[in-house]
Structures are given as structure tokens and as C-alpha cells.
Amino acid sequence: MAERDIPDGWSSARRTQSDDMTRLFNTEQSAERRYDFPATGSSSKSVSSKNKSNSKKMTVAGHSKETVPARSSSGRLPRWLTSWVLWAFLLAFVPGTIGFMAMGILFKLPSAPNCPAIFWPLASASVRMHCAQLAASKDTVKDLLQAIDLVKNLPQNHPLRSEIDRSVEDWSRDILQLADQSFQAGRLEEAIEIARKIPEDLSASELVEDQVDSWKLTWSKAQDIYKEAEGEMREQRWQSAFMRSAKLLRLNNKFWASTKYEELNNLIIGAREDGEKLAKAERLSKSKNVDNILKAIKLAESIGKKSYVYQKAQEAIPDFGLEMLELAENKLEQKDADEAIYIAQSIPPISSIEPETTDFIALAEAQRNAWTGTISGLEAAIASAEEIDSNRPIYQKAQKLISTWQLEIEDVSRLERARTLASQGSIGNLSAAIAEAKMIPRNNPRAKEARAEINSWASQVQTIEDRPFLERAEELALFGDTSSLKAAITEASRIRRGRSLYPEARKKIASWSRRVQRVEDQPYLDQARSLANSGDLRAAISTAKQIRSGRVLSRQAQRDINEWQAEVSATTNWRKAREVALSGTPKALSQAIRLARRVPRGTGLRNDARIAMDQWSQQLFDIARTQSQSDIVRAIETAKLIPSGTQAYRSAQSQIRTWRDYLNPPEPEPAQPEVVEPSASEPQPITGNTL
């Protein structure tokens, strides 16, 4: 086939697939040439030129008169022309050449048809089939449809019908495959459009709607999964979002399983990072710290509009601003107006709370002026509050404060007059100041301040009135004797409870009372200690008990009494222990040991008691060993009387175990019966004490 017969852009990739049809086409053309019908769309230029050339050669070889003139005018031929060898050669060469050229012309293959230039109503079936195969080889939807259109309407009884039907079916499936490629590439509408271009009268058309429904179902599932993942992202459930996105991998669509899956994962990762930012911002906002809340606002503002967390971040920003405003309100309640205004002014511009912030600052500045406590400050506060418009939420609060400040102006004047009177310092002026301040009503804003001033002035009056009593008592106490101290106590006791100098008077009275008690009780303590040193502990105890509980020296006296009583008890127990031990019986020795152990540690008799307990314990052990010779059970009971902490205790415990093992020997292990020869003498059992 000549290259000029194939239109630009037509692919030759599938030429090998149409070899059979091409041969059929060539056969048909050969038949047409036998009946002198030119092949449709064939070219004859090359054949004409070759024929002309051959004609020229044939003329030269034939030595025509026009081309080969006579060489001699005499009519005599050259000798070589009359040679039979030459004429034999010419007779053999010329006919052979002519026959060869004739056979070449006869068997020359026809040129391929020029498909774009063919007038299709007159085209044969083979030409249509050939051009259809060329078009289909390009493997595009347009060309495949063109190929189908070329051959589908050929007669049903045509010899090529089976081949045509098979090719049309293949081309239809190719179109459906191209549509699926568009679907896999993420172009659903394009895929549907391509698939529905398949003619409805073809068998492949029955697959179109099923395929379209399958595509739509897959696409709908993918969209649902994507939306579900987006919903999980908005709720900041990242793990669930990743699990949703993984479902895209199980879909029969490369676009959703690769491109959209990767896109969704990137969105989740980005949203998770933004979610972490928002979470950090929320943690910072809960710290009740202005700087941290400002950082929280900046973090929330850094989240972009395309983020799935953007909406929540935008909702959180006003909340952060309100938390700052709450901190400012707390500072204002603490009467720290400067800090409150600073916090409110630090709030970034947030449209939803900006009016509220502006009103707060205006009212805070008004309150700051009012807290100066001066008439000018109150008047300035009223003027600032009156500027708040009636349509503002804070308007009612401002009006209430204005009313309060107006009443406060009157009371400030009265309180200032009272302070002027009190500044003179006399009892009369202080009393007058108190009377003036009491005229301020209790429900007045200045009532609390007035009560504080009244209490202060009343305390000054009491101090002026009671100071002489305290000063006179201090003068009496300087003598230091019991009678002077008691007189000072009596004088200071004239200051009644609730008076301003009462705490000071009670402190001095307590000091003077301790001095009196020490002077009165020291002789009893000294006498008791003297008796104890002489050995009369019982008399010493009786003397020290004369110092009553609660007095200055009562703790010292009680400490001495406890020591003396311990010594008395130790002496008594030690004496009884020695008396009981004299009998030497196990019971007596055990009782003596118990009495000796009651001797308190730290006393002089404790060492003697310890030595005696070791001796008596050894006596008990000796008695137990003697008893074991006749009664091991009784010996064990005696040994048990030896107390721990004595020298004989460990030996007694070891002996008790030995005796118990003897009384209760372990059962022998069962032995295999053996035949034992009787011996002349058998061992006798042990009946006596082996100890």
C-alpha cells in the first residue's frame, strides 16, 4: 500500500490484523481487472510511466526506421549486421524482454485505496472493510464509531457478513473499554457519554447500561465515603477519618483508589495538624492567663479557610475573646480598673464581641473615675456612663451605676465633713465626726466606708479614754512585789472587753499574773526538791502537789512528781520481787521476774533488777532440767516461765524443742517387709531419761 493513500494520523499498528481482508480485497480487485474495471480509488500514474519506458525500450530494440537510419548510401550492409550470431541473440533477447515486462504488468499488485477520497455509495464491501479496519486501528472513539458506521449497514447476505459482525462486536467492546478508561481516570460523565455512543442495534449495547449503572454505583459509593471522611474530619475524629479513606482502596476505580485517596489522606493529615493547633489553643485559653489566651487566638487565626477545622476555629476565637473579657471583669471586681482596661484593650478585633469589649472599656473607665472617692471623680464617671447608647446591652447597668454615683456624691460631702472634724483629734471632735458619718444610710454606696471610719474614730475615743488606766497599772508594776503586781492587775482590769485597748491590757495582765504565781509557788517547788534530795520522796511529792494546775510552775512541779513517783514504784517493786523470790519455787521466781521488770528504766535499781532477773531465769531453767528426769511435760511448763530478754531464754527454748521431739517422735516411713532371722538377743526399749 502506498503511503500517500493513508490519511495523516491514521495508525498502521493494526495492519497485521487485517491481512486476510486485504488479501480478499486484492483478489476482488484482480477479478475486476480481468473484466477491465479499474479499482476504485487506485492510482495508475506509476503504471503509465513504466509502460512508456517499456515502449521506448521496445522501439529501440526493434530497430525501427525512425530511430536507426541506413549507414551507407550504397545499400550495402556492414558485415557484422549480416552475422547470424547477432540476429540469433536479438531474436532471443527481445521477445524475452517483452514477455518479462508483460508478465510484470500482468501480475503487478493493485495500489491500496485512498480511504478519505472514496465516494462511499459506490465503494465495494471489501473497500469498506479495509478502510474500517484502518480507522479502527487508531483505537479512538471517533475512529471506532466511523469503522462501525462503514460496515454495519452492509447486506446481511454478504459473504463477509460474519467477519463484519465479529469486527463490529470487537470495535464496540473497544469503545466500551475506552469508556472504562475514562471512568478509571475519574471522568464519569465522559465515560457515560462514550459508552452511550455505541449504536443501540448492536449486541454490545446491551452491556452499556449495566456498565453505566456499575460506574454510577461505584462513583456514588466513593462520594459517600469521601463525605463520611469529611464529616469525621469536621468532628476531629482522625482515626475514624483514616479508616473511612481506606475504603477507597477497595473500590474498582483507579481515580478514587489513588488520586482521591491520596488527596483525602493529605486533607486528613492537614486537618489533624490544624486540629492539634486548635486543641493547643483551647488548652492555652483555659490557663486564665492573658498572654496564653492571646497565643490561643493567634493559633486559631492561623488555621486556613480551606481547613475542615476552620469553622470550629472561627467559633472558638470569640470564646477566647470572652475569656479575656471575663478576666478583665474579675480584675474590675477587685477594683483594679487599670489592669481590667489593659486586658480588654489587648483583645484582638473580633467582630462578634467588639461592641461588648468597647462598652466594657467605657464603663471600666467610668468606674475608675468613681473609685477616686471625690466629687469630681464621680461627676466624670457619670458623664462617661451617660455616653453609652440606650440600645447597648450594658445600658441598664450603666444607668444603675449613674444613680448610685449620684447618691454617692451627697454622701461624699457628708463624709468629707466628718473627716475634717475627726482630723482635730479631740474626743468632742471625734464624737461629732461619728455622729455626722452615722447619717449616711446603710444602703448607700458609701455606707461601708462610713462604717469603717466610724469604727476607727470610736477606737481613737476609747484609746484616749482608757490609756490613763493602763499607764497607771504599768507604773504600779514597776515595784515588782506581789502586792504592787496585784494592784497593777486590778487597775488594768478596769478596761472592759470590746474596748480598743482591751487586748493590750489583757496581755499585760497575763504577764503580771505569771510573775505573781512564780513568786507564790517557787517556795513549794524548792522545798519539794529539798525533800527529794534527802530521800523523803513521798513528802516531796505531797509538797509539790500544792502547786495547782494551770499556774506558771505547775509543769515543772508535775515533771518532778512523775520522776519521784517512778522511783517510789521501783523501790516497792524491787523489794517485793526479792521477797517473793526467796521461796525459790517456779511460780515465785516467775512472779519475782514480773515485779522486777516493772522497775522503770533510768532508775538506779534497774541494773540490779536486770541482774536478778537473769539469776532467777537460770534458777527456773535448772529446776526444769531437774524435773525432766521424771516428768518432761512438767519440765516444759516450767521452762516456758522463763521470759524473753533473759540470758537463759534461748537455752530454755532449745531444750523445750528437744523435749517435745522426744515426746512426739516422727512416724517412721513404711518399710518393705523383710524376713529377719531371729537373733539370740534383741535390744531393749529405752525407758529412762537420756538427758
Side-chain angles (χ1 to χ4, degrees):
M1 152 186 335
E3 289 294 325
R4 62 184 177 81
D5 295 331
I6 302 175
D8 295 339
W10 282 40
S11 174
S12 60
R14 296 183 60 183
R15 292 176 185 174
T16 57
Q17 299 177 3
S18 61
D19 287 344
D20 294 338
M21 297 305 300
T22 303
R23 285 194 294 271
L24 182 61
F25 167 78
N26 292 336
T27 304
E28 185 176 337
Q29 279 205 340
S30 298
E32 292 176 353
R33 293 174 71 90
R34 285 197 299 270
Y35 292 98
D36 298 326
F37 291 101
T40 305
S42 63
S43 176
S44 61
K45 291 181 179 180
S46 60
V47 178
S48 299
S49 61
K50 290 181 181 181
N51 290 336
K52 290 179 180 180
S53 176
N54 292 335
S55 299
K56 184 181 269 187
K57 291 179 180 179
M58 291 175 62
T59 305
V60 174
H63 302 277
S64 64
K65 294 181 179 181
E66 289 84 1
T67 57
V68 186
R71 298 190 58 170
S72 177
S73 58
S74 62
R76 186 179 180 180
L77 296 175
R79 184 177 178 180
W80 62 271
L81 290 176
T82 59
S83 176
W84 67 269
V85 177
L86 174 63
W87 288 107
F89 174 78
L90 292 175
L91 290 173
F93 177 78
V94 173
T97 302
I98 294 172
F100 179 79
M101 292 177 65
M103 292 296 293
I105 295 171
L106 181 63
F107 291 104
K108 180 180 181 294
L109 295 175
S111 301
N114 186 8
C115 295
I118 292 174
F119 182 64
W120 294 113
L122 300 179
S124 65
S126 60
V127 171
R128 285 176 174 269
M129 190 65 185
H130 178 73
C131 291
Q133 289 176 333
L134 287 178
S137 67
K138 297 180 181 181
D139 205 22
T140 65
V141 176
K142 180 181 178 181
D143 291 311
L144 289 168
L145 290 172
Q146 183 181 1
I148 294 171
D149 188 62
L150 282 174
V151 299
K152 73 173 184 172
N153 293 325
L154 290 173
Q156 294 294 325
N157 59 355
H158 195 278
L160 300 177
R161 191 69 236 180
S162 60
E163 181 68 18
I164 291 171
D165 292 341
R166 184 183 62 78
S167 297
V168 169
E169 185 69 21
D170 292 341
W171 298 337
S172 300
R173 294 183 181 276
D174 290 343
I175 293 173
L176 201 58
Q177 183 64 33
L178 291 174
D180 188 70
Q181 291 177 6
S182 296
F183 171 71
Q184 296 294 334
R187 301 185 296 273
L188 175 63
E189 297 300 326
E190 179 183 309
I192 295 172
E193 183 181 356
I194 292 172
R196 287 177 174 170
K197 287 181 178 180
I198 297 174
E200 296 180 356
D201 55 350
L202 301 179
S203 60
S205 65
E206 299 175 356
L207 304 175
V208 171
E209 291 305 321
D210 292 340
Q211 188 66 51
V212 169
D213 292 340
S214 176
W215 292 340
K216 288 182 177 180
L217 180 61
T218 301
W219 200 271
S220 178
K221 288 181 179 179
Q223 289 178 330
D224 292 341
I225 293 171
Y226 202 96
K227 289 178 181 178
E228 290 173 358
E230 288 179 322
E232 297 295 340
M233 282 190 286
R234 292 187 181 93
E235 296 300 325
Q236 301 185 38
R237 295 192 288 265
W238 314 120
Q239 186 63 30
S240 181
F242 278 118
M243 293 177 64
R244 292 278 192 267
S245 68
K247 292 182 179 180
L248 294 176
L249 297 173
R250 297 193 289 270
L251 296 176
N252 185 24
N253 185 275
K254 296 180 180 179
F255 174 72
W256 285 100
S258 58
T259 305
K260 296 297 286 185
Y261 170 75
E262 184 177 356
E263 174 189 307
L264 185 57
N265 271 357
N266 291 334
L267 289 174
I268 296 172
I269 293 171
R272 183 173 61 180
E273 293 175 353
D274 293 336
E276 292 173 353
K277 284 184 182 180
L278 185 58
K280 182 180 180 181
E282 291 173 346
R283 289 194 300 270
L284 289 171
S285 68
K286 294 177 181 178
S287 65
K288 305 299 181 181
N289 180 272
V290 175
D291 294 335
N292 288 340
I293 297 176
L294 289 173
K295 291 179 181 178
I297 293 174
K298 288 183 179 179
L299 279 174
E301 289 177 342
S302 67
I303 298 173
K305 293 183 179 180
K306 296 182 179 180
S307 175
Y308 288 90
V309 191
Y310 175 76
Q311 188 61 37
K312 285 196 172 184
Q314 293 300 306
E315 294 173 356
I317 291 173
D319 294 337
F320 299 158
L322 290 174
E323 290 181 4
M324 288 189 67
L325 198 59
E326 184 179 353
L327 292 178
E329 290 175 349
N330 293 336
K331 290 294 182 179
L332 194 62
E333 291 176 359
Q334 299 171 9
K335 299 216 182 268
D336 191 353
D338 293 336
E339 183 65 18
I341 293 171
Y342 169 75
I343 294 173
Q345 289 176 342
S346 301
I347 299 174
I350 303 172
S351 57
S352 59
I353 65 170
E354 190 170 2
E356 188 174 353
T357 303
T358 303
D359 292 343
F360 174 83
I361 294 173
L363 199 59
E365 290 177 345
Q367 289 180 281
R368 180 172 60 182
N369 291 328
W371 289 338
T372 60
T374 62
I375 295 176
S376 59
L378 290 168
E379 290 175 346
I382 292 171
S384 297
E386 286 178 343
E387 294 179 359
I388 296 175
D389 198 91
S390 60
N391 60 356
R392 311 298 291 181
I394 206 170
Y395 175 76
Q396 294 298 329
K397 183 179 181 180
Q399 291 301 309
K400 186 177 180 180
L401 288 173
I402 289 172
S403 301
T404 302
W405 293 335
Q406 289 174 344
L407 295 173
E408 196 172 349
I409 290 175
E410 299 177 3
D411 298 330
V412 167
S413 301
R414 183 172 283 112
L415 193 58
E416 287 180 354
R417 287 196 299 271
R419 286 169 176 166
T420 301
L421 290 170
S423 63
Q424 299 179 19
S426 64
I427 294 177
N429 290 330
L430 290 169
S431 299
I434 292 171
E436 183 70 22
K438 285 183 177 180
M439 295 177 67
I440 298 174
R442 290 185 177 272
N443 60 352
N444 195 277
R446 292 286 178 172
K448 186 177 181 180
E449 185 179 353
R451 300 311 306 174
E453 293 285 10
I454 289 171
N455 293 333
S456 176
W457 297 333
S459 177
Q460 293 180 37
V461 171
Q462 294 171 7
T463 300
I464 294 172
E465 292 176 346
D466 296 339
R467 177 61 66 181
F469 300 120
L470 195 58
E471 291 177 351
R472 198 158 39 251
E474 290 175 344
E475 291 175 358
L476 292 170
L478 292 175
F479 294 100
D481 58 286
T482 305
S483 59
S484 297
L485 290 171
K486 289 182 177 180
I489 292 171
T490 302
E491 188 68 20
S493 297
R494 297 176 66 181
I495 300 174
R496 301 185 303 276
R497 183 183 298 274
R499 305 280 288 182
S500 60
L501 291 180
Y502 179 78
E504 184 180 355
R506 297 311 303 174
K507 186 176 180 180
K508 292 184 177 296
I509 289 171
S511 176
W512 297 333
S513 298
R514 287 194 296 271
R515 291 171 62 183
V516 171
Q517 293 172 9
R518 187 177 294 276
V519 172
E520 292 176 346
D521 296 339
Q522 190 66 47
Y524 296 113
L525 187 59
D526 294 340
Q527 184 182 359
R529 289 173 176 175
S530 178
L531 291 170
N533 292 331
S534 65
D536 192 356
L537 296 177
R538 296 185 182 278
I541 293 171
S542 178
T543 302
K545 285 184 176 180
Q546 296 183 40
I547 302 173
R548 299 188 304 275
S549 177
R551 295 178 67 86
V552 176
L553 298 178
S554 62
R555 290 186 178 181
Q556 296 182 25
Q558 189 61 46
R559 184 171 60 252
D560 292 344
I561 290 170
N562 293 338
E563 292 178 0
W564 297 333
Q565 287 177 340
E567 291 182 9
V568 171
S569 178
T571 302
T572 302
N573 290 330
W574 175 235
R575 187 183 71 252
K576 289 182 179 180
R578 289 184 297 173
E579 292 175 356
V580 172
L582 291 174
S583 64
T585 63
K587 183 177 180 182
L589 291 172
S590 177
Q591 185 179 1
I593 291 172
R594 287 196 302 271
L595 290 170
R597 297 183 79 171
R598 294 177 183 176
V599 176
R601 298 180 183 274
T603 60
L605 299 174
R606 179 65 181 179
N607 189 47
D608 295 339
R610 183 180 58 80
I611 295 172
M613 286 189 290
D614 290 337
Q615 292 175 353
W616 296 334
S617 298
Q618 188 62 42
Q619 286 181 330
L620 284 172
F621 188 44
D622 294 339
I623 294 170
R625 287 190 293 183
T626 301
Q627 292 174 341
S628 69
Q629 297 177 3
S630 60
D631 191 349
I632 295 178
V633 175
R634 184 181 176 188
I636 291 173
E637 295 299 324
T638 302
K640 285 182 177 179
L641 298 175
I642 300 172
S644 61
T646 60
Q647 292 182 352
Y649 176 74
R650 291 187 177 181
S651 299
Q653 293 298 312
S654 177
Q655 189 63 60
I656 289 171
R657 289 192 295 271
T658 302
W659 288 337
R660 286 176 175 173
D661 293 340
Y662 178 77
L663 294 174
N664 302 298
E667 295 182 1
E669 296 182 358
Q672 298 292 331
E674 298 180 358
V675 179
V676 182
E677 296 291 333
S679 59
S681 61
E682 296 184 359
Q684 301 293 322
I686 299 174
T687 58
N689 189 6
T690 60
L691 301 174

